[in-house]
Amino acid sequence: MTHPTTPPTNRYSMDPTLPRLQVPDSLATILPAEDRGLSPYTGLTRDHWIAVADHLLTSADAYRSPLGARINFPGRPSQQGPATDGLEGFARTFLLAAFLHSGGADRNNHLRRYVDGLVAGTRSIGADDNESWPVVGHVGRDGQPHVEAAGIALSLHLTKADTWDRLKPDEQDRLADWFRATITREPSPNNWYLFPATIASFLDKIGRGDDETTSVIERALGLAEAWYRGEGWYSDGAGEAYDHYTGWAMHFYPVLHAWLHDRPQLEVFGGRLEEFLRTFSRTFDRDGSPLYFGRSMTYRTATLTAVALGEAVGRTPLSPGQSRRILSAGLRYFLEHGSITANGVLSLGWHGAHLPTVQRYSGPGSPYWASKGFLALMLPPDHPVWTATEAELPGDSENYARALGVGLLIQNTTADGLVRVHNHGSDHVKTDAADSGAPDPLYARFGYSTRTGPTSLHDPADNHIQVRIRRVWSARRRIHRVETGDNWAASWHAPRFPRFSPWEASDTADGGPVLPSARIESVTAVRAALEVRINRLVRIPPDLPVRLTGWAVAAPHPRDIDARVTAASAVVAGAGLESTVTGVQGWSSAGTASASYGTAYGEWAVMPMLHGTTSQVSNVYVAVVSLSGVPVDEMVNCSVHGAVVTLDWGHRRQVFDLDAMFAGIR
């Protein structure tokens, strides 16, 4: 069968030049005029970055405690409590002030107020008042100060002469003692081990290093080696966790440590960063949107960190004009999509506020890790990243498909500039954790993109295949990566059947049916805007409902989404996108499902869906899927003979023998 798709209602232009910046008046009044000569694609220059940073810092002052040690942003508190949230607001905006100051652009002397806060926060550590910083505890509720202490230490490292050197000796002693506590406390078993190392790096810088500081630095760098997976990608801890933490944590802290100390490790860590950017730079949409994948997405512009870091240390495959193109398009994207409120505060969410996609550990100050994306402000005005003309990116003129060894398959299309990443390797399940409980929507889905977000835990799952037993739909938890090719990736998972209430944490749900030794084997193959999703159900009883869902299209209201269903396919169109699924093998009907929690892209979402029934005759299910902002004219011919699926793309024929591919799995 040959499967074309139909045009979407609205279309994205192939022109990579972004239109005139559209922002609320509260932002328009503080931004300089666009410069389409220097920045033909985005219009933004270094002055725009400075203006936004200055606006965020000036707005934060309104929420500063009387003596300046905490910044208590409005919003839902985190699970750590208001004292830690206030420290978080201080530390994360301090980093923004440090980048601004170290690049010579601190027009309003923001840094001075942070020096005052350092003194007030450490005067009575742990006291029950409005200024004192919390005691640093072990991982858990009391461990969050690890993170913020590292941010403060790095900020001091970047601005030592104007911050640390201005403190009195007793004030320095108190602050150093607070830092010291992180070295003897247990971090979370992931990127958190980089935090005491970052603090130890600063203590070494100021002449307070010793065997303990050396030990925690070596420990962190050793763990980074253990977590390195090749092609520039790190797992965030043991196991398989690949997301934006690779850029804004796993590269960020080791590279800066080596760079600030002029250590030989920069050759290794810088080389990995450069290799990482070869593929990671392909995950940004033409409109500036980063890939929506993984946790902590409320950090927003932090997704740009690795691009800026590559320029800062001179280890990037991008030209300066390409780097600024990605950086400024990302900044534009969030300015235009409501991430900054009328009061100048970053909201908890992606565009505006959207709590269903925010983790419990995130508080009102959490979004200010967006500061990491402003790292390029460290670079002086005459640095090439600011003086070069914005340049064309490879995605402007060519489609791209690249499978990584970690099980991620990157797919982007020139026609609409959209990026999709198919997930056959990143599950964020700890190695010592049971493969049970509710799934994590930020990792469990088969696909993530730059214009759609995953539906929430309590709505129907987008980009998934599921089997139902006793009214419980199966979940995908631990992902077993099998193999990748140039345009395809394969994995398998054991279907789990968790029971949970809407009020239970996603990591505690359990107690549903059990299918011993059952598995779902999956392959995704792509070309241009098309995806072929192949699934084989193994040791799953017959006569059970099975469903496959496509990309969830979000909008402010159901009337903004159009759905069209035939016997074999379903199409959902809205927001300039079209999401399509077409059954090839194993599927009996099509339909749609709505998500009342919406996604990070809108309050209401709808996804296309295929329905079927498990069978004793054939257990192979094949569907053609697409997500696009322009008409899709590609076609693929699919045929299935037993366990062999053949795809004819017109210019190329691919054969997937499932027996051979998944041989040896029991």
Side-chain angles (χ1 to χ4, degrees), residues 465-470 472-474 495 497 515 518-521 535-548 585-589 610-622:
I465 182 169
Q466 296 172 282
V467 177
R468 191 178 72 184
I469 297 179
R470 301 201 304 271
V472 181
W473 286 103
S474 66
F497 298 87
L515 289 181
R519 68 178 185 266
I520 298 178
E521 302 166 346
N535 292 280
R536 181 166 70 167
L537 278 54
V538 179
R539 299 191 189 95
I540 294 179
D543 302 321
L544 297 176
V546 58
R547 69 184 182 189
L548 179 140
Q585 164 85 12
W587 303 107
S588 57
S589 64
L610 296 174
H611 301 278
T613 304
T614 57
S615 170
Q616 289 181 325
V617 178
S618 174
N619 59 353
V620 177
Y621 297 76
V622 180

Side-chain angles (χ1 to χ4, degrees), residues 80 84 134-147 180-189 192-193 219:
Q80 288 78 235
T84 299
V135 173
V136 180
H138 295 289
V139 60
R141 179 183 174 88
D142 299 325
Q144 184 65 29
H146 272 93
V147 186
R180 277 275 172 188
T182 67
I183 293 175
T184 59
R185 302 296 192 272
E186 180 190 357
S188 181
W192 276 39
Y193 274 85
R219 179 184 67 181

